[in-house]
């Protein structure tokens, strides 16, 4: 109402006004939030020049939209005058807004959070429809325009304005509203904890024969779960079938998560198995929910058994990274179980990530299980999983400390063959290891290789190294 009164109060442009459009634009602005009273004469003159230069007396909707986009939008001072310029254009007898200017203005007001003007704009659109709606059909852009506004209202929690906009849109469009618009309102109610209103709007949807989709049901299932009404959430899952809508992985993940949060462990795990029985693939997110919640409740071994069972049934997704579970086991000093888990899943085709392998190797090193760490590293390299240099060199050092310099050098050669970048630390560790074992030929061969790779700066350093090896032998 305020907007219509505001538009009516705009004086009609005369011939003299069109030669100087700024005074007319200034007279249309009457808001404490955005006025030109505080603008300097320089800024007022700048706006005047912009309008005189880029808006001719017979400007079209396309011209006006280009003016807003290219001249006003990015201006550091004049950008807040866009809505008032929109009002000015509406007062020109020869001008008529179309859906392009409507959409631009709605999106601009919504994204800049000027919702106090948005309601008036929507009422103006309702009483001044787009030119392409002059026939028997409505403008096809009407619903997308209102949908953007409704989404902005719901994000801000202004549901009275959202419902008013929905009712206005309902009168303007042909046929039933799109389910996406209804989903926006339902999601907004659930997000702001007005679940009773979400259910009320859902029943209104059904009454108006708008067919709900999987997003509608997933939102309502999440609402029931957040209100600890798990039985009603399961009932909503069954209701999906009566409306010809199949649940998806999000439906099951929501139920699984909230069952576990409520301490109903067996129900949550059972829902995961039911998901596979209905033909749905378990996603990586499903596994993360199960593992995280079980670990949080101290049921780490149960999480391990669950993953192994999934892997044996070939339903464990290849994209799932069980690094967190390996880290948890290693942190609890249960490195043997972590190694057993990795070997079992790896054997079934679920390869661990690089970080999971690195974590396991570090856990094995801390418990002085060097041979087992060497086996994991060897398998990593065989599958072209290149470790970081610190982990690799630390394991080399540990192997040399236990008299396994030969195996350590073999691991180095395998790593270099797979693309691992050598460094001087790697060679120094192996030279020291061979030196302690009294293997002079192997040490000298590594020194020669260091010289070839440029790790020894000059021949004098090379000679000192060789002399040191000779003295240690003697």
């Amino acid at each position: 109402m305020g907007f219509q009164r505001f538009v009516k109060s705009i004086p009609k442009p005369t011939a003299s006004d069109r030669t100087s459009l700024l005074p007319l634009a200034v007279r249309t602005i009457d808001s404490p939030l955005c006025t030109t009273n505080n603008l300097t004469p320089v800024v007022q003159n700048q706006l005047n020049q912009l309008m005189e230069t880029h808006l001719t007396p017979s400007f079209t909707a396309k011209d006006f939209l280009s003016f807003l986009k290219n001249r006003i939008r990015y201006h550091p001072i004049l950008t807040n005058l866009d809505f008032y310029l929109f009002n000015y254009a509406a007062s020109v007898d020869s001008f008529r807004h179309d859906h392009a200017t409507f959409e631009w203005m709605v999106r601009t007001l919504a994204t800049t959070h000027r919702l106090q003007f948005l309601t008036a704009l929507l009422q103006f659109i309702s009483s001044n429809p787009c030119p392409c709606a002059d026939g028997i059909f409505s403008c096809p852009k009407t619903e997308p325009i209102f949908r953007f506004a409704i989404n902005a209202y719901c994000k801000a929690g202004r549901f009275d304005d959202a419902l008013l906009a929905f009712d206005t849109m309902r009168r303007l469009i042909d046929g039933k509203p799109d389910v996406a618009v209804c989903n926006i309102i339902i999601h907004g109610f659930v997000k702001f904890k007005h679940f009773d209103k979400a259910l009320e709007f859902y029943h209104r949807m059904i009454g108006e024969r708008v067919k709900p989709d999987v997003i509608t049901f997933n939102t309502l299932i999440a609402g029931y779960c957040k209100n600890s009404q798990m039985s009603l959430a399961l009932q909503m899952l069954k209701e999906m079938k009566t409306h010809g809508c199949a649940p998806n992985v999000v439906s099951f993940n929501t139920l699984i998560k909230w069952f576990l949060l409520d301490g109903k462990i067996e129900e949550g795990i059972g829902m995961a198995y039911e998901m596979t029985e209905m033909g749905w693939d378990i996603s990586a997110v499903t596994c993360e929910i199960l593992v995280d919640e079980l670990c949080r409740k101290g049921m780490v071994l149960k999480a391990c058994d669950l993953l192994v069972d999934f892997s044996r049934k070939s339903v464990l997704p290849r994209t799932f990274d069980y690094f967190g579970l390996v880290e948890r086991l290693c942190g609890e000093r249960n490195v043997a179980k972590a190694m057993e888990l990795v070997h079992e899943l790896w054997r079934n085709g679920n390869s661990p990530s690089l970080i999971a392998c690195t974590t396991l190797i570090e856990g094995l090193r801390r418990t002085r299980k060097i041979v087992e760490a060497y086996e994991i590293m060897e398998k990593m390299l065989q599958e072209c999983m290149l470790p970081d240099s610190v982990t690799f060199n630390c394991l080399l050092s540990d192997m040399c400390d236990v008299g396994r310099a030969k195996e350590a050098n073999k691991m180095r050669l395998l790593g270099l063959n797979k693309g691992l970048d050598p460094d001087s630390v790697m060679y120094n560790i192996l030279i020291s290891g061979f030196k302690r074992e009294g293997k002079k030929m192997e040490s000298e061969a590594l020194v020669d290789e260091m010289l070839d790779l440029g790790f020894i700066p000059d021949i004098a350093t090379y000679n000192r190294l060789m002399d040191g090896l000779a003295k240690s032998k003697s």
Side-chain angles (χ1 to χ4, degrees):
M1 180 177 67
F3 178 91
Q4 292 175 336
R5 188 185 306 124
F6 182 69
V7 171
K8 290 178 181 178
S9 67
I10 298 176
K12 301 299 181 182
T14 62
S16 59
D17 285 330
R18 291 183 180 180
T19 61
S20 180
L21 297 177
L22 175 61
L24 179 58
V26 171
R27 290 197 299 273
T28 65
I29 300 173
D30 184 19
S31 170
L33 298 176
C34 179
T35 68
T36 58
N37 295 333
N38 296 326
L39 295 182
T40 64
V42 175
V43 175
Q44 292 184 7
N45 184 56
Q46 188 176 7
L47 177 59
N48 185 27
Q49 291 177 352
L50 280 174
M51 296 178 70
E52 288 180 350
T53 305
H54 301 286
L55 282 183
T56 61
S58 59
F59 63 92
T60 64
K62 184 178 180 180
D63 298 331
F64 183 68
L65 182 60
S66 177
F67 177 70
L68 291 179
K69 284 184 177 181
N70 301 322
R71 305 298 170 182
I72 300 298
R73 180 184 184 187
Y74 297 109
H75 199 285
I77 297 176
L78 304 181
T79 184
N80 61 344
L81 302 180
D82 50 3
F83 183 57
Y84 301 99
L85 293 173
F86 177 92
N87 294 342
Y88 158 72
S91 70
V92 177
D93 291 334
S94 61
F95 178 84
R96 186 177 179 185
H97 285 292
D98 62 9
H99 58 250
T101 55
F102 287 153
E103 184 175 23
W104 171 263
M105 202 67 253
V106 166
R107 286 179 175 270
T108 301
L109 293 177
T111 53
T112 55
H113 309 290
R114 289 179 286 167
L115 303 184
Q116 71 275 19
F117 299 133
L118 190 55
T119 300
L121 176 59
L122 296 180
Q123 292 299 323
F124 176 79
I125 295 174
S126 175
S127 57
N128 298 272
C130 175
C132 62
D134 289 343
I136 61 174
F137 298 108
S138 65
C139 173
K141 288 288 187 177
T142 299
E143 189 169 16
I145 290 172
F146 275 81
R147 180 171 60 200
F148 200 92
I150 290 170
N151 186 49
Y153 284 136
C154 290
K155 284 183 176 180
R158 300 177 60 159
F159 295 108
D160 290 339
D161 291 330
L163 292 175
L164 176 61
F166 180 82
D167 292 335
T168 304
M169 180 199 73
R170 189 79 177 81
R171 293 192 301 268
L172 294 178
I173 63 174
D174 299 322
K176 298 176 291 185
D178 188 78
V179 66
V181 184
C182 300
N183 288 341
I184 290 172
I185 297 177
I186 291 176
H187 178 266
F189 280 133
V190 172
K191 180 181 178 181
F192 282 85
K193 300 181 180 180
H194 302 307
F195 188 59
D196 53 339
K197 294 183 179 179
L199 289 174
E200 181 182 341
F201 192 83
Y202 165 71
H203 291 303
R204 175 183 172 181
M205 272 179 64
I206 303 299
E208 295 183 2
R209 298 182 180 181
V210 178
K211 185 177 180 180
D213 60 7
V214 67
I215 298 176
T216 311
F217 288 109
N218 286 347
T219 305
L220 293 174
I221 288 172
Y224 276 124
C225 291
K226 290 177 181 178
N227 286 275
S228 301
Q229 298 175 309
M230 299 305 298
S231 59
L232 293 177
L234 290 173
Q235 183 178 341
M236 182 60 67
L237 185 68
K238 296 177 182 178
E239 188 175 335
M240 295 177 71
K241 300 177 182 179
T242 63
H243 290 278
C245 182
N248 61 9
V249 66
V250 177
S251 313
F252 290 103
N253 285 349
T254 303
L255 290 167
I256 292 169
K257 177 182 178 180
W258 284 95
F259 271 131
L260 296 177
L261 287 174
D262 285 352
K264 300 177 180 178
I265 307 300
E266 296 304 324
E267 288 85 346
I269 295 175
M271 183 62 64
Y273 281 108
E274 182 180 347
M275 179 179 172
T276 61
E277 292 170 1
M278 293 179 64
W280 291 99
D281 293 330
I282 292 178
S283 68
V285 176
T286 311
C287 295
E288 288 174 7
I289 292 171
L290 288 165
V291 171
D292 290 348
E293 292 303 325
L294 288 174
C295 289
R296 191 174 288 115
K297 296 181 183 300
M299 307 173 71
V300 181
L301 297 181
K302 192 174 186 65
C304 294
D305 295 338
L306 184 63
L307 289 186
V308 170
D309 191 45
F310 283 166
S311 181
R312 289 173 178 172
K313 292 180 178 179
S314 300
V315 296
L316 185 66
R318 301 292 176 86
T319 56
F320 175 61
D321 184 3
Y322 43 94
F323 147 72
L325 189 53
V326 173
E327 183 182 40
R328 185 68 177 260
L329 289 168
C330 292
E332 295 177 356
R333 313 292 289 184
N334 196 352
V335 182
K337 184 63 177 179
M339 186 170 62
E340 178 186 340
L341 175 69
V342 170
H343 279 308
E344 177 70 23
L345 297 183
W346 209 337
R347 186 165 51 248
N348 294 331
N350 298 102
S351 301
S353 65
L354 177 61
I355 190 171
C357 291
T358 302
T359 302
L360 178 57
I361 289 172
E362 289 300 318
L364 292 169
R365 286 184 57 245
R366 283 197 298 268
T367 55
R368 306 310 299 166
K369 295 183 178 181
I370 307 303
V371 176
E372 291 83 352
Y374 165 72
E375 292 173 354
I376 295 292
M377 180 66 76
E378 186 179 36
K379 193 169 183 179
M380 285 175 59
L381 294 172
Q382 289 172 351
E383 298 201 6
C384 297
M385 297 172 62
L386 301 180
D388 61 275
S389 60
V390 175
T391 303
F392 189 80
N393 290 338
C394 286
L395 183 55
L396 285 180
S397 179
D398 291 339
M399 293 178 69
C400 291
D401 290 342
V402 296
R404 291 179 173 268
K406 183 177 179 180
E407 289 86 346
N409 191 45
K410 179 182 175 182
M411 187 173 72
R412 175 190 69 90
L413 294 173
L414 178 59
L416 295 180
N417 186 47
K418 296 297 183 178
L420 187 68
D421 293 328
D423 55 33
S424 59
V425 176
M426 180 188 303
Y427 284 93
N428 288 329
I429 291 171
L430 289 170
I431 291 171
S432 298
F434 280 126
K435 181 179 176 181
R436 286 195 299 269
E437 295 178 16
K439 297 178 180 179
K440 179 181 178 182
M441 292 182 59
E442 288 82 352
S443 298
E444 291 177 348
L446 287 172
V447 172
D448 290 336
E449 193 172 335
M450 287 183 70
L451 181 63
D452 295 336
L453 293 174
F455 293 136
I456 299 176
D458 50 51
I459 195 65
T461 306
Y462 170 80
N463 290 335
R464 282 198 301 271
L465 286 172
M466 297 301 285
D467 290 342
L469 292 175
K471 289 178 181 179
S472 64
K473 180 64 177 177
S474 61

